[in-house]
Amino acid sequence: MKNGERTKNGKGKRQANFELLRIISMFMVVSLHYLSHADALTVPGTEADGTQIFGDFLESLSICAVNVYVLITGYFQSQSDFHPRKLIRLLAEILFYTLLIPPVLMAFGIHPEAQNVWERWFWFFPVSMESYWFITAYVFLFILSPLLNEGLRALPEKRMREVLLLLLFFYTVLPSLSPVKLTTDRGGYDFGWFIVLYLLSGYMRRYGAGRLDSARSGAVLYFASAAGVFALTALLHRISEGGRLLYYASVPFHYNSFLVLTASVGLFLWTKNTKVKEGRGADFIRALSPLTLGVYLIHENIDVRDRWLPALEKVFGGVPDGGLLLLHMLLCCTALFACCLAVDFVREKMFSLAARIFRRGKKNAVISGK
């Protein structure tokens, strides 16, 4: 996320490689949502067609995106101070969309999903109502970051490694091996898993990742893990067609599954050790990266998430079968990504203007008081 950490290099600029990873990760998130809304993924217990198998392959390459976002946060925020104003700015951005999207839709004759007071509460209290599960988990993670940072500073490397191994055992190893759902397992859709990722990336920031800490090793780990996710999913789906292991067939795509975690670490380390050449390209990446959260907040809004793909199908046609699925996905996701970036660019300018007006008014008030 752009809130809560400063991905800066020694020259005071944000590191373009990490900013590029933010953009790639968010595009992956949009792709995951496309595949889900397009019904292009296999369903345990049912016979799969070629398009769904191809969809599983594409998901295998992108399923690590959310974990990567949190790893970036932990890598930088673990070395930063906690500032409440960053949280306030994040909450303001969330409310900007949850409160404004419904009236904008109504202005175009589109009725919001909310039909009663309880459902409209999702607009006003998006964190507590979990309007976006990711945002709810992230906000709690950010609030807890000072405590997590103190733990990373206070514990010696050996003790921190022991804590991480124990957390990974309960959050990753057991859920990845258990053929039935564990009652404590949320599939990585909670801030408990985000805490594990935060501590893991904070540990790597302090002590490195050993032999894996290179671009080549990271790339190999990412592609090997993604291939493992796809192969395991294909095997378990074939078994599930006979009515067996229906739950376990979905486990390889859980965010806290072992192979998804290793794919996340691999992609993170690959990017961490890959430098982006300074110049206009790097500056363009830095300009786009802070807007990626807006992409998520717009297309995953409760009044938008089920409507954007049908709208894009009117432009690019229906979801095709076979290999054309990739082309259709790239067209739809790129169009959606660009539109959301443009909207959030306007929102960012509005926030910057409001901040300048507030600072100017505060300065004038101080001068008048004197």
Side-chain angles (χ1 to χ4, degrees), residues 37-324:
H37 291 304
D39 296 323
L41 301 171
T42 56
V43 180
T46 64
E47 186 175 351
D49 59 30
T51 301
Q52 291 175 319
I53 294 173
F54 184 50
D56 280 357
F57 170 74
L58 295 176
E59 185 174 34
S60 300
L61 294 171
S62 299
I63 194 63
C64 64
V66 172
N67 288 351
V68 170
Y69 243 77
V70 182
L71 287 173
I72 296 172
T73 295
Y75 192 77
F76 291 97
Q77 180 60 28
S78 64
Q79 297 288 318
S80 302
D81 295 327
F82 176 84
H83 297 291
R85 66 176 179 272
K86 295 179 182 178
L87 179 60
I88 293 172
R89 185 177 178 86
L90 172 61
L91 294 175
E93 184 174 349
I94 298 166
L95 287 170
F96 178 86
Y97 289 113
T98 59
L99 293 178
L100 289 185
I101 284 179
V104 169
L105 291 177
M106 287 187 283
F108 285 92
I110 303 173
H111 295 289
E113 297 290 336
Q115 299 297 320
N116 54 53
V117 173
W118 183 81
E119 292 176 346
R120 288 168 185 163
W121 229 235
F122 284 82
W123 303 346
F124 299 96
F125 302 99
V127 174
S128 298
M129 296 297 290
E130 209 169 13
S131 300
Y132 308 91
W133 76 265
F134 177 90
I135 292 298
T136 298
Y138 183 81
V139 167
F140 285 118
L141 176 68
F142 185 76
I143 293 172
L144 289 173
S145 63
L147 297 177
L148 300 176
N149 292 350
E150 288 299 320
L152 286 166
R153 295 187 190 105
L155 292 179
E157 180 183 358
K158 180 180 178 181
R159 185 56 52 82
M160 190 67 239
R161 186 168 61 249
E162 292 171 347
V163 170
L164 269 175
L165 289 174
L166 287 170
L167 286 172
L168 290 171
F169 176 76
F170 284 103
Y171 269 91
T172 296
V173 177
L174 284 181
S176 298
L177 296 177
S178 176
V180 298
K181 181 176 176 58
L182 302 173
T183 57
T184 57
D185 180 26
R186 302 291 183 271
Y189 291 82
D190 63 339
F191 76 92
W193 174 239
F194 281 19
I195 289 174
V196 178
L197 292 172
Y198 186 100
L199 292 174
L200 176 61
S201 56
Y203 179 89
M204 289 191 293
R205 177 67 183 265
R206 289 177 175 274
Y207 307 112
R211 296 180 180 178
L212 293 175
D213 207 351
S214 69
R216 181 178 180 179
S217 296
V220 170
L221 181 61
Y222 164 66
F223 285 113
S225 299
V229 170
F230 176 64
L232 184 58
T233 300
L235 174 63
L236 291 173
H237 183 79
R238 179 62 62 89
I239 295 173
S240 75
E241 288 181 358
R244 300 181 298 273
L245 297 179
L246 293 177
Y247 163 75
Y248 197 53
S250 67
V251 169
F253 283 127
H254 290 181
Y255 293 137
N256 64 330
S257 72
F258 181 77
L259 288 174
V260 173
L261 173 62
T262 55
S264 308
V265 172
L267 182 56
F268 177 83
L269 293 174
W270 180 12
T271 307
K272 170 182 173 291
N273 293 287
T274 301
K275 301 302 179 183
V276 175
K277 184 179 179 180
E278 288 298 327
R280 292 183 179 179
D283 291 337
F284 182 69
I285 290 170
R286 293 188 186 98
L288 288 187
S289 178
L291 308 177
T292 53
L293 178 60
V295 175
Y296 178 79
L297 293 173
I298 296 170
H299 90 279
E300 265 298 281
N301 180 273
I302 57 177
D303 290 310
V304 176
R305 62 177 59 143
D306 294 325
R307 289 171 165 152
W308 60 264
L309 182 55
L312 289 172
E313 285 182 305
K314 295 178 181 179
V315 178
F316 300 111
V319 178
D321 296 327
L324 289 176

Side-chain angles (χ1 to χ4, degrees), residues 23-40:
I23 297 172
I24 294 172
S25 297
M26 184 53 68
F27 193 88
M28 286 179 167
V29 169
V30 175
S31 300
L32 291 173
H33 294 156
Y34 167 91
L35 293 170
S36 177
H37 291 304
D39 296 323

